[in-house]
Amino acid sequence: MTKDLNTLATALYVKIDDQLITFPDLAPERPRVGIQPTLSDAELVTLAVMSALLGFTSERRWLRYARAHLAGMFPYLPGQSGYNKRLRAATSLVLSMIRILGRDTSLWSDDVWVVDSTPVECGRSRQTAQRSDLAGWAEYGYCPSHSRFFWGLRLHLLCTLGGLPIAFALTGAKADERTTLLGMFQADPDLLARHRGQDLIADMQYYGRDFEDTLAGAGVRLLRKARKGEPPRPGAHLFKPLRQTIESINQTFKGQLDLERHGARTAAGVAIRVITRVLALTAVIWHNDKTDQPIARSLTAYDH
């Protein structure tokens, strides 16, 4: 493990621990009477982020590695079953820390956002699609960027040009991107209230007069390429190069954080493994921003 990852893990642990002390309601619910866990919630979430950054897709392999190499940082580690149950119970804490870390960066105030969705494959065989506990949420969809069909979910991402996740949603593969985006805004009204006059760069599937009117009413200006039959849209030549940013962010999730190798078989399992990767990227950007690194989204110093 690199010195940079050690520094990031320490800073993240301290940040989470401070938040849990200040806002104890962030902690997962547990019985008032009983044995306190030996591994704290701050250690648990830090451990999960390190696993994502180091490219471990198996919890068993990760815990074996941690016992062999991280005993000084984590004197006690639960078994795989206990780790999995506690991590799923900490879903709300992980979501809260994504927002807390994001707001604690200079990128949070950026006045340009990009939005897109990317596949989260959950299986390939017909038997998996029929028997999986994810059936009904996961479904067949098509990814035009890679010209392929897949069975699974979609991760919808709203980010700054620097790659900082502002909001996200995990839906079925056929979910409408426009409806999902508006739902993300409705789930967090404070987001648009604090970002009036925002520019939003999107692909051509984010279209429709009612959709654009809704965004405009919320103070968001939509920038996208004209669809076939539409007149040219102003400013298209200016933001076209910036549109590649979201593809690069998606590739960070897939190529470096193994988004599609989550290995989960239940809805709760997929959810926590996906949002842990969102937290991992947010934590890297937060730490790079605080330490004045030239590229906030670079994971290179932490992934080995």
Side-chain angles (χ1 to χ4, degrees):
M1 187 179 71
T2 66
K3 179 180 178 182
D4 293 303
L5 180 56
N6 186 34
T7 304
L8 168 61
T10 302
L12 179 61
Y13 165 78
V14 171
K15 183 72 171 181
I16 298 172
D17 195 53
D18 286 346
Q19 292 297 316
L20 287 169
I21 292 172
T22 307
F23 306 102
D25 289 345
L26 292 178
E29 291 187 9
R30 54 176 53 96
R32 292 188 178 183
V33 179
I35 301 174
Q36 282 293 106
T38 306
L39 183 75
S40 71
D41 294 317
E43 289 176 314
L44 174 74
V45 175
T46 301
L47 196 63
V49 167
M50 293 175 69
S51 170
L53 291 175
L54 289 173
F56 283 86
T57 57
S58 164
E59 290 178 347
R60 294 185 189 278
R61 288 185 60 242
W62 166 240
L63 290 172
R64 285 200 301 268
Y65 175 90
R67 288 191 180 93
H69 300 282
L70 304 178
M73 296 180 67
F74 305 97
Y76 170 79
L77 290 171
Q80 187 271 336
S81 178
Y83 174 82
N84 183 274
K85 289 178 181 177
R86 284 200 57 196
L87 194 55
R88 282 182 292 171
T91 296
S92 179
L93 173 59
V94 174
L95 289 171
S96 297
M97 289 311 304
I98 292 171
R99 177 53 53 87
I100 290 168
L101 293 181
R103 286 181 172 176
D104 193 28
T105 68
S106 61
L107 284 73
W108 183 259
S109 59
D110 285 2
D111 56 6
V112 179
W113 290 338
V114 287
V115 65
D116 199 6
S117 67
T118 190
V120 181
E121 191 173 11
C122 296
R124 295 195 172 182
S125 70
R126 183 174 178 81
Q127 289 77 11
T128 298
Q130 292 175 334
R131 299 174 184 175
S132 172
D133 290 339
L134 294 169
W137 185 23
E139 54 192 354
Y140 285 102
Y142 181 72
C143 177
S145 299
H146 300 92
S147 302
R148 68 180 176 99
F149 289 94
F150 69 97
W151 185 80
L153 308 170
R154 279 189 178 275
L155 176 62
H156 302 255
L157 284 167
L158 179 70
C159 302
T160 68
L161 290 176
L164 178 69
I166 297 295
F168 62 94
L170 195 58
T171 70
K174 295 180 181 178
D176 187 280
E177 284 97 340
R178 298 164 297 178
T179 303
T180 302
L181 177 62
L182 295 179
M184 289 156 61
F185 288 144
Q186 291 171 0
D188 187 3
D190 184 60
L191 186 61
L192 289 181
R194 291 176 176 269
H195 291 84
R196 300 290 297 184
Q198 199 76 17
D199 286 329
L200 176 63
I201 298 174
D203 214 339
M204 289 187 293
Q205 67 265 30
Y206 293 88
Y207 70 95
R209 180 178 298 175
D210 292 342
F211 173 69
E212 294 197 35
D213 287 346
T214 301
L215 291 180
V220 177
R221 182 173 65 144
L222 180 66
L223 302 175
R224 63 169 175 83
K225 290 175 60 177
R227 293 171 63 86
K228 186 175 181 180
E230 286 184 330
R233 296 174 65 91
H237 66 288
L238 297 175
F239 69 82
K240 183 177 179 181
L242 301 178
R243 181 64 188 79
Q244 298 303 315
T245 299
I246 191 66
E247 296 295 340
S248 176
I249 297 168
N250 287 338
Q251 184 55 37
T252 297
F253 275 109
K254 291 173 179 290
Q256 294 179 273
L257 294 174
D258 301 297
L259 179 66
E260 291 195 281
R261 296 179 60 210
H262 53 80
R265 296 178 175 83
T266 65
V270 172
I272 188 57
R273 295 187 188 192
V274 170
I275 66 173
T276 296
R277 285 161 171 78
V278 177
L279 177 58
L281 178 60
T282 305
V284 165
I285 293 174
W286 167 75
H287 188 259
N288 285 343
D289 184 60
K290 293 298 182 184
T291 55
D292 297 320
Q293 300 303 312
I295 304 176
R297 189 164 51 88
S298 176
L299 275 66
T300 305
Y302 312 106
D303 63 0
H304 56 283

